[in-house]
Coordinates of all heavy atoms in Angstrom, one line a residue:
M822 N -35.5 5.7 -17.6 CA -34.2 5.3 -17.3 C -34.3 4.0 -16.4 O -35.0 4.0 -15.5 CB -33.5 6.5 -16.6 CG -32.1 6.2 -16.1 SD -31.3 7.5 -15.4 CE -31.6 8.9 -16.4
D823 N -33.4 3.1 -16.8 CA -33.5 1.7 -16.0 C -32.6 1.9 -14.8 O -31.9 2.8 -14.6 CB -33.0 0.6 -16.8 CG -31.5 0.7 -17.3 OD1 -30.7 1.4 -16.6 OD2 -31.2 0.2 -18.3
R824 N -32.8 1.0 -13.8 CA -32.2 1.1 -12.5 C -30.6 1.0 -12.7 O -30.0 1.7 -11.8 CB -32.7 -0.1 -11.6 CG -34.1 0.2 -11.2 CD -34.6 -1.0 -10.3 NE -34.0 -0.6 -8.9 CZ -34.6 -0.7 -7.8 NH1 -35.8 -1.2 -7.9 NH2 -34.0 -0.4 -6.7
A825 N -30.1 0.2 -13.5 CA -28.6 0.1 -13.6 C -28.0 1.4 -14.1 O -27.0 1.9 -13.6 CB -28.4 -1.0 -14.7
T826 N -28.7 2.1 -15.0 CA -28.3 3.4 -15.4 C -28.3 4.4 -14.4 O -27.4 5.1 -14.1 CB -29.0 3.8 -16.7 OG1 -28.9 2.9 -17.8 CG2 -28.6 5.1 -17.2
L827 N -29.4 4.4 -13.7 CA -29.6 5.3 -12.6 C -28.5 5.1 -11.4 O -27.9 6.0 -10.9 CB -31.0 5.1 -12.0 CG -31.4 6.2 -10.9 CD1 -31.3 7.6 -11.4 CD2 -32.8 5.9 -10.4
A828 N -28.2 3.9 -11.1 CA -27.2 3.5 -10.1 C -25.8 4.1 -10.6 O -25.1 4.5 -9.8 CB -27.2 2.0 -9.9
R829 N -25.5 3.8 -11.8 CA -24.2 4.2 -12.4 C -24.1 5.7 -12.3 O -23.1 6.2 -11.9 CB -24.1 3.8 -13.9 CG -22.7 4.2 -14.5 CD -22.5 3.6 -15.9 NE -23.6 4.2 -16.7 CZ -23.8 5.5 -17.3 NH1 -22.9 6.4 -16.8 NH2 -24.8 5.7 -17.9
L830 N -25.2 6.5 -12.7 CA -25.1 7.9 -12.6 C -25.0 8.4 -11.2 O -24.2 9.3 -10.9 CB -26.3 8.5 -13.3 CG -26.5 8.3 -14.8 CD1 -27.8 8.7 -15.4 CD2 -25.3 9.0 -15.5
E831 N -25.7 7.8 -10.3 CA -25.6 8.2 -8.9 C -24.2 7.9 -8.3 O -23.6 8.7 -7.6 CB -26.6 7.3 -8.0 CG -26.5 7.7 -6.6 CD -27.6 6.9 -5.8 OE1 -28.7 6.5 -6.3 OE2 -27.3 6.6 -4.7
H832 N -23.7 6.8 -8.7 CA -22.2 6.6 -8.3 C -21.2 7.6 -8.8 O -20.4 8.1 -8.1 CB -21.8 5.1 -8.7 CG -20.5 4.6 -8.2 ND1 -20.3 4.3 -6.9 CD2 -19.3 4.6 -8.8 CE1 -19.1 4.0 -6.8 NE2 -18.4 4.1 -7.9
D833 N -21.4 7.9 -10.1 CA -20.6 8.9 -10.8 C -20.7 10.2 -10.0 O -19.7 10.9 -9.9 CB -20.9 9.0 -12.3 CG -20.5 7.8 -13.0 OD1 -19.8 6.9 -12.6 OD2 -21.0 7.7 -14.3
N834 N -21.9 10.6 -9.8 CA -22.2 11.9 -9.1 C -21.4 11.9 -7.7 O -21.0 12.9 -7.3 CB -23.6 12.2 -8.9 CG -24.2 12.6 -10.3 OD1 -23.5 13.0 -11.1 ND2 -25.5 12.4 -10.4
M835 N -21.6 10.8 -7.0 CA -20.9 10.8 -5.6 C -19.5 10.9 -5.7 O -18.8 11.6 -5.0 CB -21.3 9.4 -5.0 CG -20.7 9.2 -3.6 SD -20.5 7.5 -3.0 CE -19.2 6.8 -4.1
V836 N -18.8 10.2 -6.6 CA -17.3 10.2 -6.9 C -16.9 11.6 -7.2 O -16.0 12.3 -6.6 CB -16.8 9.2 -7.8 CG1 -15.3 9.3 -8.1 CG2 -17.2 7.8 -7.4
T837 N -17.7 12.3 -8.1 CA -17.4 13.6 -8.5 C -17.6 14.6 -7.3 O -16.6 15.5 -7.1 CB -18.2 14.1 -9.7 OG1 -18.0 13.1 -10.8 CG2 -18.0 15.5 -10.1
A838 N -18.6 14.5 -6.6 CA -18.8 15.4 -5.5 C -17.7 15.2 -4.4 O -17.2 16.3 -3.9 CB -20.2 15.1 -4.9
I839 N -17.4 14.0 -4.0 CA -16.4 13.8 -3.0 C -14.9 14.3 -3.5 O -14.3 14.9 -2.7 CB -16.4 12.4 -2.5 CG1 -17.7 12.1 -1.8 CG2 -15.1 12.2 -1.6 CD1 -17.8 10.6 -1.4
S840 N -14.7 14.1 -4.8 CA -13.5 14.5 -5.3 C -13.5 16.0 -5.4 O -12.3 16.6 -5.0 CB -13.4 14.1 -6.8 OG -13.3 12.6 -6.8
L841 N -14.4 16.8 -5.7 CA -14.5 18.2 -5.6 C -14.3 18.7 -4.3 O -13.5 19.7 -4.1 CB -15.7 18.7 -6.3 CG -15.8 18.6 -7.9 CD1 -17.2 19.0 -8.4 CD2 -14.8 19.4 -8.6
A842 N -15.0 18.1 -3.4 CA -14.8 18.5 -1.9 C -13.3 18.4 -1.5 O -12.8 19.2 -0.8 CB -15.8 17.7 -1.1
G843 N -12.8 17.2 -1.8 CA -11.4 16.8 -1.5 C -10.4 17.9 -2.0 O -9.4 18.2 -1.3
T844 N -10.6 18.4 -3.2 CA -9.7 19.3 -3.7 C -9.6 20.7 -3.0 O -8.7 21.4 -3.2 CB -9.9 19.5 -5.2 OG1 -11.1 20.2 -5.4 CG2 -9.8 18.3 -6.0
Q845 N -10.6 20.8 -2.1 CA -10.7 22.1 -1.3 C -9.9 22.0 0.0 O -9.8 23.0 0.7 CB -12.1 22.5 -1.0 CG -12.9 22.6 -2.3 CD -12.4 23.6 -3.2 OE1 -12.1 24.8 -3.0 NE2 -12.2 23.2 -4.5
T846 N -9.3 20.9 0.2 CA -8.6 20.7 1.5 C -7.1 20.8 1.3 O -6.5 20.0 0.4 CB -8.9 19.3 2.0 OG1 -10.4 19.2 2.2 CG2 -8.3 19.0 3.4
P847 N -6.4 21.7 2.0 CA -5.0 21.7 1.8 C -4.2 20.4 2.1 O -4.6 19.7 3.1 CB -4.4 22.8 2.9 CG -5.6 23.6 3.1 CD -6.9 22.6 3.0
G848 N -3.3 20.0 1.3 CA -2.6 18.8 1.4 C -3.3 17.6 0.8 O -2.7 16.4 1.0
A849 N -4.5 17.8 0.3 CA -5.3 16.7 -0.2 C -4.6 16.0 -1.5 O -3.8 16.7 -2.2 CB -6.6 17.1 -0.5
R850 N -4.9 14.8 -1.7 CA -4.4 14.0 -2.9 C -5.7 13.5 -3.6 O -6.2 12.6 -2.9 CB -3.4 13.1 -2.6 CG -2.8 12.4 -3.8 CD -1.6 11.5 -3.5 NE -1.2 10.7 -4.6 CZ -0.2 9.9 -4.6 NH1 0.4 9.7 -3.4 NH2 0.1 9.3 -5.7
V851 N -6.1 13.9 -4.7 CA -7.3 13.4 -5.4 C -6.8 13.2 -6.8 O -6.4 14.0 -7.5 CB -8.4 14.5 -5.4 CG1 -9.6 14.0 -6.1 CG2 -8.8 14.9 -4.0
E852 N -7.0 11.8 -7.2 CA -6.6 11.4 -8.5 C -7.6 10.3 -9.0 O -8.3 9.6 -8.2 CB -5.3 10.6 -8.4 CG -4.2 11.5 -7.8 CD -2.9 10.8 -7.6 OE1 -2.8 9.4 -7.9 OE2 -2.1 11.3 -7.0
R853 N -7.9 10.2 -10.3 CA -8.7 9.2 -10.9 C -8.0 8.6 -12.0 O -7.6 9.3 -13.0 CB -10.0 9.9 -11.4 CG -10.9 10.4 -10.2 CD -12.0 11.3 -10.7 NE -13.2 10.5 -11.0 CZ -14.4 11.0 -11.2 NH1 -14.6 12.2 -11.1 NH2 -15.4 10.3 -11.5
A854 N -7.7 7.3 -11.9 CA -7.0 6.6 -12.9 C -7.3 5.0 -12.9 O -7.5 4.5 -11.8 CB -5.4 6.8 -12.8
D855 N -7.2 4.5 -14.0 CA -7.4 3.0 -14.2 C -8.7 2.4 -13.6 O -8.5 1.3 -12.9 CB -6.2 2.3 -13.7 CG -4.9 2.7 -14.5 OD1 -5.1 2.9 -15.7 OD2 -3.8 2.7 -14.0
G856 N -9.7 3.2 -13.5 CA -11.0 2.8 -12.9 C -11.1 3.1 -11.5 O -11.9 2.4 -10.8
V857 N -10.2 3.7 -10.8 CA -10.1 3.9 -9.4 C -9.9 5.4 -9.1 O -9.1 6.1 -9.7 CB -9.0 3.0 -8.8 CG1 -8.9 3.4 -7.2 CG2 -9.2 1.7 -9.0
A858 N -10.7 5.8 -8.1 CA -10.6 7.2 -7.6 C -10.0 7.1 -6.2 O -10.3 6.4 -5.3 CB -11.9 7.9 -7.6
L859 N -8.9 8.0 -6.0 CA -8.3 8.1 -4.8 C -8.6 9.5 -4.2 O -8.3 10.6 -4.9 CB -6.7 8.0 -4.9 CG -5.9 8.4 -3.7 CD1 -6.1 7.4 -2.6 CD2 -4.4 8.6 -4.1
I860 N -9.2 9.5 -3.1 CA -9.6 10.8 -2.4 C -9.0 10.8 -1.0 O -9.4 10.0 -0.2 CB -11.0 11.1 -2.4 CG1 -11.6 11.0 -3.8 CG2 -11.4 12.3 -1.7 CD1 -13.0 10.5 -3.9
A861 N -7.9 11.5 -0.8 CA -7.2 11.4 0.5 C -7.0 12.9 1.0 O -6.2 13.7 0.5 CB -5.7 10.8 0.2
T862 N -7.9 13.3 1.8 CA -8.0 14.6 2.3 C -7.2 14.7 3.6 O -6.8 15.9 3.9 CB -9.5 15.1 2.5 OG1 -9.9 14.3 3.6 CG2 -10.2 14.9 1.3
G863 N -7.1 13.7 4.4 CA -6.5 13.9 5.8 C -7.5 14.3 6.7 O -7.2 14.3 8.0
L864 N -8.7 14.6 6.4 CA -9.8 14.9 7.3 C -10.1 13.7 8.1 O -10.0 12.6 7.7 CB -11.0 15.5 6.6 CG -10.8 16.8 5.8 CD1 -12.0 17.1 5.1 CD2 -10.6 17.9 6.9
P865 N -10.6 13.9 9.5 CA -10.8 12.7 10.3 C -12.1 11.9 10.1 O -12.7 11.3 11.0 CB -10.8 13.4 11.7 CG -11.3 14.7 11.4 CD -10.8 15.1 10.1
L866 N -12.6 11.8 8.8 CA -13.7 11.1 8.5 C -13.4 10.3 7.3 O -12.9 10.7 6.3 CB -14.9 12.1 8.1 CG -15.4 13.0 9.1 CD1 -16.4 14.0 8.5 CD2 -16.2 12.2 10.2
R867 N -13.8 9.0 7.4 CA -13.4 8.0 6.2 C -14.1 8.5 5.0 O -13.6 8.2 3.8 CB -13.9 6.6 6.7 CG -12.9 6.1 7.6 CD -13.3 4.6 7.9 NE -12.3 4.0 8.9 CZ -12.7 3.4 10.0 NH1 -14.0 3.2 10.3 NH2 -11.8 3.0 10.8
L868 N -15.3 9.1 5.1 CA -16.0 9.5 3.9 C -15.1 10.4 3.0 O -15.2 10.4 1.7 CB -17.3 10.5 4.3 CG -18.0 11.2 3.2 CD1 -18.7 10.1 2.3 CD2 -19.0 12.1 3.7
F869 N -14.1 11.1 3.6 CA -13.3 11.9 2.8 C -11.9 11.3 2.6 O -11.0 12.1 2.1 CB -13.2 13.4 3.4 CG -14.5 14.1 3.4 CD1 -15.2 14.3 4.6 CD2 -15.1 14.6 2.4 CE1 -16.4 15.0 4.6 CE2 -16.3 15.2 2.2 CZ -16.9 15.4 3.5
N870 N -11.8 10.1 2.8 CA -10.5 9.4 2.6 C -10.9 7.9 2.0 O -11.1 7.1 2.8 CB -9.8 9.2 3.8 CG -9.3 10.5 4.6 OD1 -8.5 11.2 3.9 ND2 -9.9 11.0 5.6
Q871 N -11.0 7.9 0.8 CA -11.5 6.7 0.1 C -10.7 6.3 -1.1 O -10.3 7.2 -1.8 CB -12.9 6.9 -0.3 CG -13.9 7.1 0.7 CD -15.3 7.1 0.2 OE1 -15.7 6.1 -0.5 NE2 -16.1 8.1 0.6
V872 N -10.7 5.0 -1.2 CA -10.2 4.4 -2.5 C -11.6 3.9 -3.1 O -12.1 2.9 -2.6 CB -9.3 3.3 -2.4 CG1 -8.9 2.6 -3.7 CG2 -8.0 3.8 -1.6
I873 N -12.0 4.5 -4.2 CA -13.3 4.1 -4.8 C -13.2 3.4 -6.1 O -12.6 4.0 -7.0 CB -14.2 5.4 -5.0 CG1 -14.3 6.1 -3.6 CG2 -15.6 4.9 -5.4 CD1 -15.0 7.4 -3.8
V874 N -13.6 2.2 -6.3 CA -13.8 1.6 -7.6 C -14.9 2.3 -8.3 O -16.0 2.3 -7.9 CB -14.0 0.1 -7.4 CG1 -14.2 -0.6 -8.7 CG2 -12.8 -0.6 -6.7
E875 N -14.5 2.8 -9.6 CA -15.5 3.6 -10.2 C -15.7 3.1 -11.7 O -16.7 3.4 -12.2 CB -15.2 5.1 -10.2 CG -13.9 5.5 -11.0 CD -13.8 6.9 -11.0 OE1 -14.7 7.7 -11.0 OE2 -12.6 7.4 -11.3
G876 N -14.8 2.5 -12.3 CA -14.9 2.1 -13.6 C -15.5 0.6 -13.8 O -15.6 -0.1 -12.8
T877 N -15.7 0.2 -15.0 CA -16.2 -1.1 -15.3 C -15.2 -2.2 -15.1 O -15.6 -3.4 -15.0 CB -16.9 -1.2 -16.6 OG1 -16.0 -0.7 -17.6 CG2 -18.1 -0.2 -16.7
D878 N -13.9 -1.8 -15.4 CA -12.8 -2.8 -15.3 C -11.6 -2.2 -14.6 O -10.6 -1.9 -15.2 CB -12.4 -3.3 -16.7 CG -11.5 -4.5 -16.7 OD1 -11.6 -5.3 -15.7 OD2 -10.9 -4.6 -17.7
P879 N -11.7 -1.9 -13.3 CA -10.7 -1.3 -12.6 C -9.3 -2.2 -12.5 O -9.6 -3.5 -12.5 CB -11.2 -1.1 -11.2 CG -12.3 -2.1 -11.1 CD -12.8 -2.3 -12.4
S880 N -8.3 -1.5 -12.5 CA -7.0 -2.3 -12.4 C -6.7 -2.7 -11.0 O -6.8 -1.8 -10.1 CB -5.9 -1.3 -12.9 OG -4.7 -1.8 -12.5
P881 N -6.5 -3.9 -10.8 CA -6.2 -4.5 -9.4 C -4.9 -3.6 -8.8 O -4.8 -3.4 -7.7 CB -5.9 -5.9 -9.5 CG -6.6 -6.3 -10.7 CD -6.6 -5.1 -11.7
S882 N -3.9 -3.3 -9.7 CA -2.7 -2.6 -9.4 C -3.2 -1.2 -8.8 O -2.6 -0.6 -8.0 CB -1.6 -2.6 -10.4 OG -2.2 -1.8 -11.5
A883 N -4.2 -0.5 -9.5 CA -4.6 0.8 -9.1 C -5.3 0.7 -7.7 O -5.1 1.6 -6.9 CB -5.6 1.4 -10.1
I884 N -6.0 -0.4 -7.5 CA -6.6 -0.5 -6.1 C -5.5 -0.7 -5.1 O -5.5 0.1 -4.0 CB -7.5 -1.8 -6.0 CG1 -8.8 -1.5 -7.0 CG2 -8.0 -2.0 -4.5 CD1 -9.6 -2.7 -7.2
R885 N -4.5 -1.5 -5.3 CA -3.4 -1.7 -4.4 C -2.6 -0.4 -4.2 O -2.3 0.0 -3.1 CB -2.4 -2.8 -5.0 CG -2.9 -4.2 -4.8 CD -1.8 -5.1 -5.2 NE -2.3 -6.5 -5.2 CZ -2.7 -7.1 -6.3 NH1 -2.7 -6.6 -7.5 NH2 -3.1 -8.3 -6.2
S886 N -2.5 0.3 -5.3 CA -1.7 1.6 -5.2 C -2.5 2.6 -4.4 O -1.9 3.3 -3.4 CB -1.5 2.2 -6.6 OG -0.9 3.5 -6.5
G887 N -3.8 2.7 -4.5 CA -4.6 3.6 -3.8 C -4.4 3.2 -2.2 O -4.3 4.1 -1.4
V888 N -4.6 1.9 -1.9 CA -4.5 1.4 -0.5 C -3.1 1.8 0.0 O -3.0 2.3 1.2 CB -4.8 0.0 -0.4 CG1 -4.5 -0.5 1.0 CG2 -6.3 -0.2 -0.8
A889 N -2.1 1.7 -0.7 CA -0.7 2.0 -0.3 C -0.5 3.4 0.0 O 0.1 3.8 1.0 CB 0.3 1.5 -1.5
V890 N -1.2 4.2 -0.9 CA -1.1 5.7 -0.6 C -1.8 6.1 0.7 O -1.2 6.8 1.5 CB -1.8 6.5 -1.8 CG1 -2.0 8.0 -1.4 CG2 -0.9 6.4 -3.0
M891 N -2.9 5.5 0.9 CA -3.6 5.9 2.1 C -2.9 5.3 3.4 O -2.7 6.1 4.4 CB -5.0 5.1 2.1 CG -6.0 5.8 1.1 SD -6.3 7.4 1.7 CE -7.8 7.7 0.7
R892 N -2.3 4.1 3.3 CA -1.6 3.6 4.4 C -0.3 4.5 4.7 O 0.1 4.8 5.8 CB -1.1 2.2 4.2 CG -2.3 1.2 4.4 CD -2.0 -0.2 4.2 NE -3.0 -1.1 4.5 CZ -3.1 -2.3 4.1 NH1 -2.2 -2.8 3.4 NH2 -4.2 -3.1 4.3
G893 N 0.3 5.0 3.6 CA 1.5 5.7 3.7 C 1.2 7.1 4.4 O 2.0 7.7 5.0
R894 N 0.0 7.6 4.1 CA -0.4 8.9 4.7 C -0.8 8.8 6.2 O -0.9 9.7 6.9 CB -1.6 9.6 3.9 CG -1.2 10.0 2.4 CD -2.4 10.5 1.8 NE -3.1 11.5 2.2 CZ -3.1 12.9 2.1 NH1 -2.3 13.2 1.1 NH2 -3.8 13.7 2.7
G895 N -1.3 7.6 6.4 CA -1.8 7.4 7.9 C -3.2 7.8 8.1 O -3.6 7.8 9.2
D896 N -3.9 8.1 7.0 CA -5.2 8.5 7.1 C -6.2 7.3 7.4 O -5.9 6.2 6.9 CB -5.7 9.2 5.8 CG -5.1 10.4 5.5 OD1 -4.4 11.1 6.4 OD2 -5.0 10.8 4.2
R897 N -7.2 7.5 8.2 CA -8.2 6.5 8.3 C -9.1 6.6 7.1 O -9.4 7.6 6.5 CB -9.2 6.8 9.5 CG -8.4 6.7 10.8 CD -9.3 7.1 11.9 NE -10.6 6.4 11.8 CZ -11.3 5.9 12.8 NH1 -11.0 6.0 14.0 NH2 -12.5 5.3 12.5
F898 N -9.3 5.3 6.4 CA -9.9 5.3 5.1 C -10.8 4.1 4.9 O -10.7 3.2 5.7 CB -8.8 5.4 4.0 CG -7.9 4.2 3.8 CD1 -8.3 3.2 2.9 CD2 -6.9 3.9 4.6 CE1 -7.6 2.0 2.8 CE2 -6.1 2.7 4.5 CZ -6.4 1.8 3.6
V899 N -11.5 4.1 3.8 CA -12.2 3.0 3.4 C -12.0 2.7 1.9 O -11.7 3.6 1.1 CB -13.7 3.2 3.7 CG1 -14.3 4.3 2.8 CG2 -14.5 2.0 3.5
V900 N -12.1 1.4 1.5 CA -12.2 1.1 0.1 C -13.6 0.8 -0.3 O -14.3 0.0 0.4 CB -11.4 -0.2 -0.2 CG1 -11.5 -0.6 -1.6 CG2 -9.9 0.0 0.2
N901 N -14.2 1.5 -1.2 CA -15.5 1.6 -1.6 C -15.7 0.7 -2.9 O -15.3 1.1 -3.8 CB -16.0 3.1 -1.8 CG -17.5 3.3 -1.9 OD1 -18.1 2.4 -2.4 ND2 -17.9 4.4 -1.4
L902 N -16.4 -0.3 -2.6 CA -16.8 -1.3 -3.7 C -18.3 -1.2 -3.9 O -19.1 -1.1 -2.9 CB -16.4 -2.7 -3.4 CG -14.9 -3.0 -3.1 CD1 -14.6 -4.5 -2.7 CD2 -14.0 -2.6 -4.4
R903 N -18.7 -1.4 -5.1 CA -20.2 -1.5 -5.4 C -20.6 -2.9 -5.2 O -20.0 -3.9 -5.7 CB -20.4 -1.0 -6.8 CG -20.1 0.4 -7.1 CD -20.0 0.7 -8.5 NE -18.7 0.1 -9.0 CZ -18.2 0.2 -10.2 NH1 -18.9 1.1 -11.0 NH2 -17.2 -0.3 -10.6
A904 N -21.7 -3.0 -4.4 CA -22.2 -4.4 -4.1 C -22.6 -5.2 -5.4 O -23.2 -4.6 -6.2 CB -23.4 -4.3 -3.2
G905 N -22.2 -6.4 -5.6 CA -22.4 -7.2 -6.8 C -21.4 -6.9 -7.8 O -20.8 -7.8 -8.2
Q906 N -21.4 -5.7 -8.3 CA -20.5 -5.3 -9.4 C -19.0 -5.4 -9.1 O -18.3 -5.8 -10.0 CB -20.9 -4.0 -9.8 CG -20.2 -3.4 -11.2 CD -20.7 -2.1 -11.6 OE1 -21.7 -1.7 -11.2 NE2 -20.0 -1.6 -12.6
D907 N -18.6 -5.2 -7.9 CA -17.2 -5.2 -7.7 C -16.9 -6.4 -6.7 O -15.7 -6.4 -6.2 CB -16.8 -3.9 -7.0 CG -16.9 -2.7 -7.9 OD1 -16.7 -2.9 -9.1 OD2 -17.3 -1.6 -7.5
D908 N -17.7 -7.3 -6.5 CA -17.4 -8.5 -5.7 C -16.1 -9.2 -6.1 O -15.5 -9.8 -5.2 CB -18.6 -9.4 -5.6 CG -19.8 -8.9 -5.0 OD1 -19.7 -7.8 -4.4 OD2 -20.8 -9.6 -5.1
R909 N -15.7 -9.2 -7.2 CA -14.4 -9.9 -7.6 C -13.2 -9.3 -7.1 O -12.2 -9.9 -7.0 CB -14.4 -9.9 -9.2 CG -14.1 -8.6 -9.8 CD -14.2 -8.6 -11.3 NE -13.8 -7.4 -12.0 CZ -14.7 -6.4 -12.1 NH1 -15.9 -6.6 -11.7 NH2 -14.4 -5.3 -12.8
H910 N -13.4 -8.1 -6.4 CA -12.2 -7.4 -5.7 C -12.2 -7.6 -4.3 O -11.4 -7.1 -3.5 CB -12.2 -6.0 -6.0 CG -12.1 -5.6 -7.5 ND1 -11.0 -6.0 -8.3 CD2 -13.0 -5.2 -8.4 CE1 -11.2 -5.7 -9.5 NE2 -12.4 -5.2 -9.6
L911 N -13.2 -8.3 -3.7 CA -13.2 -8.6 -2.3 C -12.0 -9.2 -1.7 O -11.4 -8.8 -0.7 CB -14.5 -9.3 -1.9 CG -15.9 -8.6 -2.0 CD1 -17.0 -9.6 -1.8 CD2 -15.9 -7.5 -1.0
A912 N -11.5 -10.2 -2.3 CA -10.3 -11.0 -1.9 C -9.1 -10.0 -2.0 O -8.3 -10.0 -1.0 CB -10.1 -12.2 -2.7
L913 N -9.0 -9.2 -3.0 CA -7.9 -8.3 -3.1 C -7.9 -7.2 -1.9 O -6.9 -7.0 -1.2 CB -8.0 -7.6 -4.4 CG -7.0 -6.4 -4.5 CD1 -5.6 -6.8 -4.5 CD2 -7.4 -5.6 -5.9
V914 N -9.1 -6.8 -1.6 CA -9.3 -5.7 -0.5 C -9.0 -6.4 0.8 O -8.4 -5.8 1.7 CB -10.6 -5.1 -0.6 CG1 -10.8 -4.2 0.6 CG2 -10.7 -4.3 -1.9
A915 N -9.4 -7.6 0.9 CA -9.3 -8.3 2.2 C -7.8 -8.6 2.6 O -7.4 -8.7 3.7 CB -9.9 -9.7 2.3
E916 N -6.9 -8.6 1.5 CA -5.5 -8.7 1.7 C -5.0 -7.6 2.6 O -4.0 -7.6 3.3 CB -4.7 -8.8 0.4 CG -4.8 -10.1 -0.4 CD -4.2 -9.9 -1.7 OE1 -3.3 -9.1 -1.9 OE2 -4.6 -10.7 -2.6

């Protein structure tokens, strides 16, 4: 297995694990759409409150929507981009 495939599988596993953990928290919102995963648990750790770019061609509007959801909830959160692969979204996230 090449490194790129291994990295993709590792990323997929991380998103799935955090998503599953998030669904166990009352009041959580966990969604995956348009190449973006939204995991909003309300727990006081950014690890469990993320907007994660997961697809090969994520929708900028899905990233914006995820950030808007997090801001609306008031949760401390992070936008998780993959180094190199998602660099084109840095300016959007910086907004």
Side-chain angles (χ1 to χ4, degrees):
M822 180 177 311
D823 64 29
R824 291 184 76 140
T826 300
L827 185 59
R829 182 183 52 77
L830 292 171
E831 181 179 328
H832 185 74
D833 291 347
N834 285 339
M835 179 204 64
V836 173
T837 298
I839 295 172
S840 295
L841 289 171
T844 62
Q845 303 304 307
T846 306
R850 183 169 172 183
V851 178
E852 302 170 5
R853 293 170 89 167
D855 297 325
V857 175
L859 169 70
I860 300 149
T862 67
L864 295 171
L866 295 170
R867 288 186 179 127
L868 173 67
F869 297 111
N870 298 292
Q871 296 190 48
V872 177
I873 306 174
V874 172
E875 65 171 338
T877 57
D878 191 25
S880 160
S882 64
I884 296 170
R885 283 189 187 96
S886 177
V888 169
V890 167
M891 290 297 198
R892 287 184 174 156
R894 290 175 58 99
D896 299 336
R897 292 176 51 141
F898 71 97
V899 65
V900 178
N901 190 327
L902 302 174
R903 295 164 290 191
Q906 186 172 348
D907 296 325
D908 288 352
R909 67 187 182 277
H910 300 295
L911 287 171
L913 169 64
V914 173
E916 289 176 18

